[in-house]
Amino acid sequence: QKEVEQNSGPLSVPEGAIASLNCTYSDRGSQSFFWYRQYSGKSPELIMFIYSNGDKEDGRFTAQLNKASQYVSLLIRDSQPSDSATYLCAVDYSGGYQKVTFGTGTKLQVIP
Amino acid sequence: GAGVSQTPSNKVTEKGKYVELRCDPISGHTALYWYRQSLGQGPEFLIYFQGTGAADDSGLPNDRFFAVRPEGSVSTLKIQRTERGDSAVYLCASSLGGGEGYTFGSGTRLTVV
């Protein structure tokens, strides 16, 4: 069973702080990793994808990938109340056609 | 279209009835995926289409579930003899297939009573 593990939270951070969301996965051969944001009652929305070890930055978001440790994280700088949502980590176990397995998500609460 | 369109947005049906859920992907997206999501869980893979063919249907729970995409665009997920355990949000997503991630539709909330 190929798994994606996330702490369900809630993770509470004050406005303006850095939020750190973490995800581990079970298959060392995985190549593609995705972060989706899901507001309550809405469908998931792609934030970032990462394929290579290291960091990938996009605005206030940074994805970090460590394949040796089978660990992927998402950092949100200068957190805003509008960032309050559930963040889903997804891993492509299909070898490229993006049949991804999702974690259960981490609920983030940004406190004004 | 501009986004992935799913209809209906809500469907309430009686146990044992047949339902069809429709997905209209982004124009030009050859890859189409169906997932379902239960409360407090991440989306669970059901089936993947590349063009008209179902390239991977390993996530369909049993033979009551079937999906088609006859012209390589619109897809229909069909559920026969619905059960209360089928109640969930059914999500459709599409992509260009280049590894850039999905665009999800707004989902169909299915409630079996």
Side-chain angles (χ1 to χ4, degrees):
Chain A
Q1 181 81 0
K2 295 181 177 178
E3 298 180 341
V4 179
E5 299 286 342
Q6 294 182 259
N7 187 318
S8 62
L11 172 67
S12 294
V13 300
E15 184 175 355
I18 296 175
S20 177
L21 304 158
N22 305 313
C23 171
T24 59
Y25 59 95
S26 62
D27 185 351
R28 190 177 292 275
S30 302
Q31 296 296 319
S32 307
F33 307 86
F34 304 85
W35 283 98
Y36 287 82
R37 177 177 61 198
Q38 187 171 28
Y39 292 112
S40 181
K42 302 296 185 183
S43 58
E45 170 192 15
L46 180 69
I47 298 176
M48 293 188 71
F49 58 88
I50 186 167
Y51 304 145
S52 303
N53 272 329
D55 295 359
K56 179 181 179 183
E57 186 174 319
D58 184 359
R60 295 187 297 112
F61 298 96
T62 299
Q64 299 177 317
L65 176 60
N66 184 326
K67 290 186 178 181
S69 300
Q70 295 173 231
Y71 178 95
V72 58
S73 64
L74 179 70
L75 302 179
I76 306 175
R77 289 182 299 281
D78 187 24
S79 295
Q80 301 297 309
S82 59
D83 295 326
S84 297
T86 295
Y87 289 80
L88 297 162
C89 174
V91 179
D92 182 355
Y93 284 127
S94 67
Y97 67 81
Q98 292 191 60
K99 171 188 171 182
V100 299
T101 298
F102 284 87
T104 55
T106 298
K107 186 172 184 178
L108 173 66
Q109 295 177 339
V110 180
I111 311 301
Chain B
V4 179
S5 176
Q6 289 190 249
T7 54
S9 56
N10 278 285
K11 177 71 177 178
V12 180
T13 191
E14 293 181 347
K15 179 176 178 294
K17 298 292 188 182
Y18 169 82
V19 296
E20 290 189 352
L21 312 179
R22 176 188 167 103
C23 173
D24 195 346
I26 292 173
S27 178
H29 279 195
T30 56
L32 185 146
Y33 310 80
W34 284 97
Y35 282 76
R36 73 176 175 182
Q37 187 174 26
S38 300
L39 194 63
Q41 301 297 313
E44 173 192 18
F45 173 80
L46 295 177
I47 188 169
Y48 156 63
F49 288 90
Q50 180 59 249
T52 60
D56 185 338
D57 64 358
S58 62
L60 295 178
N62 51 59
D63 61 7
R64 295 186 298 107
F65 289 75
F66 188 71
V68 296
R69 193 186 186 199
E71 297 178 356
S73 179
V74 171
S75 176
T76 305
L77 178 65
K78 308 179 180 192
I79 311 174
Q80 299 178 319
R81 305 184 303 280
T82 51
E83 300 177 356
R84 293 195 178 89
D86 299 335
S87 297
V89 175
Y90 288 79
L91 295 165
C92 176
S94 70
S95 81
L96 288 168
E100 73 286 355
Y102 303 158
T103 301
F104 279 94
S106 56
T108 295
R109 181 176 299 278
L110 176 67
T111 305
V112 182
V113 297

